[in-house]
Amino acid sequence: MANHKSAQKRSRQAIKKNQINSQILSKIKTKINNFNEILISKNKADLDKSLSLINSSLSKAVKKGLIKKEFVSRKLSLLSKKIKSI
């Protein structure tokens, strides 16, 4: 356990930040899973809307520094290819 006041504060901040970051990443995974479910039904309009939501979530995560820009680019490209294959 931290003994200095500043170290205690940093410890509290790290716990809060970890919870927030976990929630954001969990929401992204959920949206990707929803996209895959919609992909099975082959509804093009819903797929485009879902891809837009995923793009927004991933961009926000990159802005916060949770994930890398290259990962987002690769993921969006892969999802776009899945839509085009329908």
Side-chain angles (χ1 to χ4, degrees):
M1 184 63 195
N3 291 325
H4 294 284
K5 189 174 182 180
S6 61
Q8 290 171 348
K9 179 180 178 182
R10 178 53 70 186
S11 178
R12 289 192 308 268
Q13 288 176 333
I15 291 169
K16 288 179 186 177
K17 191 57 105 170
N18 188 5
Q19 289 175 343
I20 293 169
N21 291 345
S22 297
Q23 288 174 356
I24 292 170
L25 293 175
S26 177
K27 286 179 184 179
I28 291 172
K29 291 175 191 172
T30 301
K31 288 179 182 181
I32 290 173
N33 288 337
N34 290 341
F35 177 87
N36 289 329
E37 290 175 7
I38 296 171
L39 188 64
I40 294 170
S41 67
K42 296 184 180 182
N43 189 345
K44 189 101 172 168
D46 288 342
L47 281 172
D48 290 336
K49 186 175 180 182
S50 180
L51 183 65
S52 176
L53 291 174
I54 292 170
N55 186 9
S56 174
S57 296
L58 289 172
S59 296
K60 287 177 185 176
V62 167
K63 187 176 177 184
K64 289 180 65 83
L66 292 177
I67 53 180
K68 295 194 178 210
K69 190 175 180 180
E70 293 81 12
F71 171 79
V72 172
S73 177
R74 187 172 55 248
K75 188 57 115 174
L76 290 176
S77 176
L78 184 129
L79 296 176
S80 296
K81 285 181 184 177
K82 285 184 179 181
I83 291 176
K84 289 180 182 179
S85 67
I86 294 179

